[in-house]
């Protein structure tokens, strides 16, 4: 397989995989493109290479910057904005974990806590509160695991996972 062919397959497949993880397909493709390229790309280049509109390119580039995994890079003598992806895979894992925790886990924890404030002393209410507690306990464990991953270095986490699998 030629390099251009491999890059194209990577970009398209990464976009398809991302939808399974609840991530916008185009956002994943833009990120994959920036990762695969060896140089910063302008919005125009992203649009052309992925065959997407300016609005779509701008929206997804801004979202990737909000996630902290893409940044602007200025090219001397050029007024266009250029973008480059963070290529440290361990940093990417921790940053994406941090953002997903903030957007997905923390709201669930708050929601479950709110649901436990039932003003009813019946057995049915107690059973409901226990169910919310159980969901909260599982969600808090997931939150704690994500926190450990975010705060760890790659060698520590790999060692812990290896120990768990033994």
């Amino acid at each position: 397989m030629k390099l251009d062919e491999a890059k194209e397959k990577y970009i398209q497949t990464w976009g398809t995989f991302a939808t399974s993880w609840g991530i916008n397909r185009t956002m994943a493709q833009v990120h994959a493109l920036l990762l695969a390229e060896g140089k910063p790309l302008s919005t125009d280049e992203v649009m052309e290479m992925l065959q997407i509109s300016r609005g779509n390119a701008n929206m997804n580039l801004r979202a990737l910057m909000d996630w902290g995994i893409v940044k602007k890079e200025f090219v001397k003598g050029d007024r266009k904005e250029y973008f480059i992806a963070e290529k440290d895979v361990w940093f990417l894992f921790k940053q994406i974990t941090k953002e997903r925790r903030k957007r997905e886990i923390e709201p669930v924890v708050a929601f479950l806590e709110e649901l436990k404030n039932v003003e009813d002393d019946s057995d049915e209410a107690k059973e409901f509160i226990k169910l919310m507690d159980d969901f909260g306990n599982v969600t808090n464990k997931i939150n704690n695991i994500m926190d450990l991953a975010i705060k760890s270095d790659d060698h520590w986490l790999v060692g812990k996972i290896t120990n768990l699998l033994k």
Side-chain angles (χ1 to χ4, degrees), residues 42 74-82:
S42 69
F74 296 98
V75 174
K76 189 174 181 176
D78 197 336
R79 297 180 70 189
K80 291 181 184 176
E81 291 182 330
Y82 287 83

Side-chain angles (χ1 to χ4, degrees), residues 34 39-43 46 58 61-62 65 70-73 81-85:
L34 293 172
K39 63 180 172 86
L41 297 176
S42 69
T43 305
V46 170
N58 282 329
L61 286 164
R62 299 290 175 244
M65 287 180 7
V70 166
K71 60 185 175 187
K72 282 184 191 179
E73 190 162 296
E81 291 182 330
Y82 287 83
F83 302 89
I84 191 159

Side-chain angles (χ1 to χ4, degrees), residues 78-125:
D78 197 336
R79 297 180 70 189
K80 291 181 184 176
E81 291 182 330
Y82 287 83
F83 302 89
I84 191 159
E86 173 61 53
K87 292 192 181 196
D88 177 335
V89 176
W90 187 249
F91 174 84
L92 285 172
F93 168 75
K94 292 191 322 181
Q95 191 64 24
I96 290 168
T97 300
K98 185 185 338 177
E99 286 299 316
R100 292 204 72 156
R101 185 179 94 177
K102 181 174 76 177
R103 296 164 192 257
E104 297 167 22
I105 302 299
E106 290 174 1
V108 170
V109 169
F111 175 68
L112 292 171
E113 281 301 312
E114 180 186 339
L115 291 177
K116 291 190 307 188
N117 295 323
V118 175
E119 296 177 9
D120 188 337
D121 204 24
S122 69
D123 287 343
E124 185 180 359

Side-chain angles (χ1 to χ4, degrees), residues 137-152:
N137 288 335
V138 170
T139 307
N140 280 322
K141 283 184 178 28
I142 293 167
N143 195 25
N144 291 339
I145 290 167
M146 292 175 98
D147 192 49
L148 283 173
I150 291 164
K151 292 178 180 174
S152 69

Side-chain angles (χ1 to χ4, degrees), residues 13-29 60 63-64 67 96 99-101 103-104:
T13 304
W14 199 249
T16 302
F17 285 156
T19 60
S20 300
W21 306 323
I23 296 171
N24 173 313
R25 179 177 181 259
T26 305
M27 184 169 132
Q29 288 177 323
N60 285 295
L64 290 164
W67 279 65
I96 290 168
E99 286 299 316
R100 292 204 72 156
R101 185 179 94 177
R103 296 164 192 257
E104 297 167 22

